[in-house]
Every structure is written in structure tokens, then in C-alpha cells.
Amino acid sequence: MVKASIRQQGTIHCFPAGLRDEKGRLVNAEVSAVAFDGKRLLMASDKPIPGEARSACFALPIDDQGPDDTRLDYYTQPLIKQAEKYEDFALTADGRHVLATTGFDRIDDESHALNDYNHLLIWPLGEPDKVQVVDPDPRDGVEGSLELRGKLSGAIGFPYYKIEGLAAIPGERGDGLLLFGIREQGNAHDDFAYVSRVVGAHYQISESGNLEFLDEMREFFAFDPGHHEGVRFECGLSSLEYDPYHARLYLLTSFETEQDGEEQIGGYLWELSLEEFRAGETPRLVTTPQGDPLEFEHKAEGLAVLDHDRLFVAYDNDRHLGLGSVDERDERHACEAPYTILTVINA
């Protein structure tokens, strides 16, 4: 059983305070994806961050004192800037490449207008200039992981879905098994259910540095967080993370709902070994040191393993500005993203 305690909390300035988009609207930080490359946090907002020298994807150093947003570096490569609605990052199972997925939650069957919402990107660790699109449409000049979208649709089995999790784990073939976490599925964006499903396929990294799938995309795992008595609200999967130090998989779930006319946001963390994952066993809820459910007070959307004992949790609270226990201030600035660093206790 895994327990965790809050080690540090705070906010990260993702762009200058008061930044506005081309329509004059205040830009809001909505961090939904995070990874750790051994030295730096790689983060992304699921909303655009305007400016020629900015993008929704950026990196910043982190050390024992926490993240240093005074040295924030935006990834402005055209392919990275082009992709819309980042939802999760992952490292390949060998830790040598970064993978980034968008939500795949919209497509225009009559045109390529919404292709940017359908991207899986890959680049060598620390070399974003070498970014490539994974599994693109074979037609020249059409960007987007449209072949991958077809594979995901076949495995998920619903006309509408939203990808929010991504993790690469050791597999039985090639270089590993790439997993996609599904948060929403249904008939349309306004007719869906929250779910916690995982589909995936084995992959290999080609000589050109791109990712190639080796077998059919299929479902590997599913569970219902609501079956646990400690879960108070309906949840959907919001991130996947492979922990190579303990050969385990973390699953992050979050909720956003109303109760008695009051908005409720938050999330939970789950874990299970790779063997248990392959056997389809129910994941365990991570608890506080006292054994109570570890319930995040913000909408937990991104998760990264920092080392043997620390996890980094990023929150996407949408337009909700409350900070709660993260800071002594009542509200964050729109440019700030709250975070928590956890200390993991392996019982």
C-alpha cells in the first residue's frame, strides 16, 4: 500500500501577468500535462498561450527547493506550437524520448480544420527541434496523427472520446507498450460518460526517431473509481504515469461537478504494480499517512515521477481561481498554475 504526504505546494507563473489574447481576453493557465526529464519539468496548458515567442508547451528547472519559473523556456517549434489541447506527456519506456498527446476529442470529417486536436508528438529527450508527428495521415502536407485516431476509435468503440492519459511501460514486444488513458466516451461532446479506461499497443522507435506501432490497438485496463467507498464524486481518468523506480503504474482521476449549487473540484491518486495492471486487478487508492483517502482539493490533471520518493502534481482548475491551502493568498493570478509535490511512503 502506498501512502503520500504533501511536501511542498505553490504556483508557477506560466506567462506574464495580464497577458491577453488577440480578442482582448485574459489568458488563463490551464496546465494539464507534465513530465520530468531528470532536471526539468516539461509542462503544457490545454489552452493556447499567445505570442510568437511563446507556446502552450514549456520547460523549467526544478531542484530540492521546487520549480524555478524565472528560467521558463517555451517550446516554439512549429509542430509543437501547432498542436491544440495538450493533455498528457510521457517518456518512452527507456527514458530517451518525450511523447506528447492532445485530447483527440474533436475532428471535422469534411475538412482538416480540427486536425490540430489530434496529435501525438515525439522528440528525443532535450531535443525538441527534432519533433515529429506519430502515425500521420499518409497524404502529403496533412498534419495530424490521423492514422492513430482511426486506431484509437476502433479500440474505444465510441464516436466521441477524450484522451487525457499517456504512459509508456515495458512490454512484451519492441521497445515497450504505449498506453492511452480515456476520460470521456459517448455519442458526442454533450452526451458522454466519465470513464477510466486504458487502451494501447506495443511500439518501437524507428531509425528516424519516430514511433511505430507493432500490433493492434486494444483495451488493456478499466476500472470504476466510484466503487471505492472513499471516493465522494464521479471521476474520470486525468493522467497516467509509469514509475520505473517501483515498476508501478499511477492513475490520476479528477472530478468537476456541482453539489447543492456549489462547484466541487478535486481528484484522487491510484497505484498498482505492472503485474497487477496486466492481470486487470483493481488499483489501490493512495492514502494519507493516517490512512484516509488522499483527496486533492484542486482538479489534478498532470502527474510526474521526480525520483524514488517524490511525485509532482499539476492542477488544471479551468477558470476557478481559488488557491485553498496551496498559498496564503485567496486567489491565484490567471497566469499561475498551482502544484503539489508529494512524498511517497511505501508501506
Side-chain angles (χ1 to χ4, degrees):
M1 179 176 291
V2 174
K3 300 182 179 183
S5 61
I6 295 175
R7 182 189 188 105
Q8 180 183 342
Q9 298 194 99
T11 60
I12 293 171
H13 286 76
C14 303
F15 44 83
L19 181 68
R20 295 183 179 272
D21 63 18
E22 59 185 14
K23 295 183 178 180
R25 298 171 299 195
L26 194 65
V27 179
N28 188 49
E30 301 185 27
V31 171
S32 55
V34 61
F36 179 59
D37 70 1
K39 295 181 179 178
R40 302 200 304 171
L41 289 170
L42 177 61
M43 307 181 76
S45 173
D46 68 9
K47 296 294 188 296
I49 298 176
E52 187 174 337
R54 303 187 193 96
S55 81
C57 180
F58 53 90
L60 66 161
I62 182 172
D63 56 24
D64 289 342
Q65 281 68 53
D68 182 2
D69 59 14
T70 66
R71 293 191 286 160
L72 189 145
D73 179 29
Y74 296 101
Y75 284 14
T76 57
Q77 292 75 16
L79 277 179
I80 295 178
K81 281 182 69 86
Q82 177 181 335
E84 294 269 5
K85 202 166 179 58
Y86 284 101
E87 292 293 354
D88 208 1
F89 287 135
L91 300 183
T92 50
D94 62 7
R96 298 175 62 183
H97 289 78
V98 176
L99 296 164
T101 188
T102 61
F104 285 83
D105 61 339
R106 64 197 76 180
I107 192 71
D108 186 339
D109 294 328
E110 303 298 325
S111 75
H112 299 296
L114 299 178
N115 286 7
D116 292 345
Y117 293 88
N118 300 269
H119 272 77
L120 177 64
L121 301 178
I122 184 171
W123 62 87
L125 194 66
E127 299 182 85
D129 287 340
K130 295 182 180 179
V131 61
Q132 299 181 66
V133 177
V134 175
D135 225 11
D137 187 293
R139 290 170 292 179
D140 292 340
V142 177
E143 295 291 358
S145 299
L146 302 186
E147 289 291 294
L148 172 56
R149 181 182 178 86
K151 296 171 183 176
L152 288 169
S153 297
I156 296 168
F158 286 84
Y160 167 81
Y161 52 87
K162 186 177 184 182
I163 302 297
E164 287 214 7
L166 187 68
I169 64 174
E172 299 172 351
R173 296 183 59 189
D175 294 322
L177 178 64
L178 186 60
L179 304 173
F180 296 86
I182 305 147
R183 176 179 179 81
E184 301 172 3
Q185 65 182 30
N187 296 317
H189 70 91
D190 54 358
D191 178 17
F192 69 87
Y194 287 112
V195 294
S196 295
R197 293 180 65 195
V198 179
V199 302
H202 288 89
Y203 71 89
Q204 68 181 9
I205 304 300
S206 68
E207 290 186 4
S208 67
N210 208 330
L211 183 144
E212 300 173 343
F213 292 102
L214 300 177
D215 50 16
E216 186 175 2
M217 190 77 61
R218 64 181 179 87
E219 179 172 293
F220 278 86
F221 190 81
F223 82 107
D224 182 359
H227 283 168
H228 194 290
E229 61 180 11
V231 173
R232 298 192 300 141
F233 302 102
E234 182 183 24
C235 292
L237 190 69
S238 55
S239 187
L240 293 173
E241 180 74 359
Y242 170 51
D243 177 0
Y245 299 98
H246 302 94
R248 74 167 58 114
L249 189 68
Y250 285 109
L251 303 97
L252 195 60
T253 59
S254 66
F255 57 85
E256 47 185 333
T257 186
E258 276 195 16
Q259 188 176 67
D260 301 325
E262 193 170 314
E263 183 183 36
Q264 302 285 344
I265 58 173
Y268 302 93
L269 182 61
W270 311 77
E271 59 86 21
L272 72 173
S273 70
L274 294 188
E275 290 76 15
E276 292 167 331
F277 170 78
R278 295 185 180 106
E281 297 187 19
T282 302
R284 288 173 293 273
L285 187 64
V286 175
T287 69
T288 68
Q290 293 74 36
D292 300 317
L294 177 66
E295 182 178 300
F296 299 109
E297 61 180 317
H298 299 286
K299 191 154 71 77
E301 293 284 310
L303 181 69
V305 173
L306 298 180
D307 53 35
H308 187 277
D309 301 310
R310 294 184 303 157
L311 299 176
F312 184 93
V313 182
Y315 302 112
D316 174 9
N317 289 346
D318 298 323
R319 295 286 169 175
H320 183 78
L321 298 177
L323 282 169
S325 66
V326 166
D327 195 287
E328 60 185 15
R329 293 174 295 149
D330 291 333
E331 292 188 350
R332 66 178 174 90
H333 297 296
C335 65
E336 292 178 294
Y339 72 87
T340 296
I341 297 175
L342 297 173
T343 297
V344 174
I345 306 163
N346 295 286

